[in-house]
Amino acid sequence: MAPPIALPETFARAVAGLRSAAPRSEIVLEEVGAPQRLAPYAFALSATVLRDGDEVATGRLILLHDPAGHEAWQGTLRLVTYVTAELEIDLAADPLLPGVGWTWLTDALDAQDAPHRAIGGTVTQTMSTRFGDLAGPPAAGDIEIRASWTPLGEDLTPHLMAWCALLASTAGLPPPGVTSLTERRPAGAA
């Protein structure tokens, strides 16, 4: 059996920061296999956002580490994300949606004091209508946010919390502590 490979301290601290954060209760995180060809070291989390027991958004966050650095990253660590959610057709058709989706990410990073550089990505909105043998549910819309950024510093806890805020925004969850007006109240409640 081969001896265990020692992880670089920078990568180990970054992974510890991602593992230590506790997201809001609607977001379920799970460690998953990370792509192995993008960088010498990688770690990945998947997320499922639940509302009333239903899955309303999913995402993946990948931490990449190249001790030699990477010119395009402007550093040795890189966070890569993919977030997707189904939307009401009216919202999915809104031409302002991509800009709003992008600000969900940038505002979340700013609000969590997650310093970063070299941020880039895409926001895709799609609408689907089923026909023929696939006919059934009414037209549906989706948003997909793909982004990457270089975190500054090795404590990635604020970055994970910002990613969770992005997931919550994409899923249409109200801010923590705020009750949605559409939530059902128990019978007899005022």
Side-chain angles (χ1 to χ4, degrees), residues 7-20 63 65 77 153-157:
L7 296 176
E9 284 186 39
T10 298
F11 182 70
R13 281 193 297 273
V15 169
L18 292 176
R19 286 180 170 154
S20 70
L63 168 65
H65 176 57
L77 294 172
E154 296 173 11
D155 180 10
L156 298 192
T157 304

Side-chain angles (χ1 to χ4, degrees), residues 76-110:
T76 62
L77 294 172
R78 189 76 171 164
L79 288 167
V80 180
T81 189
Y82 168 80
V83 173
T84 186
E86 191 170 313
L87 301 173
E88 294 177 15
I89 198 70
D90 294 346
L91 185 56
D94 188 331
L96 299 177
L97 180 62
V100 170
W102 186 252
T103 61
W104 289 336
L105 172 61
T106 58
D107 288 354
L109 288 166
D110 291 343

Side-chain angles (χ1 to χ4, degrees), residues 111-137:
Q112 293 296 324
D113 294 322
H116 60 281
R117 67 174 158 231
I119 189 170
T122 62
V123 177
T124 305
Q125 63 193 104
T126 59
M127 293 184 293
S128 302
T129 305
R130 296 176 175 95
F131 297 96
D133 289 345
L134 296 177

Side-chain angles (χ1 to χ4, degrees), residues 174-188:
V178 174
T179 302
S180 172
L181 294 176
T182 60
E183 286 186 20
R184 293 186 186 138
R185 296 177 186 244

Side-chain angles (χ1 to χ4, degrees), residues 147-180:
S148 63
W149 64 94
T150 299
L152 302 179
E154 296 173 11
D155 180 10
L156 298 192
T157 304
H159 294 271
L160 180 72
M161 298 311 294
W163 182 62
C164 288
L166 168 64
L167 285 160
S169 294
T170 305
L173 297 180
V178 174
T179 302
S180 172

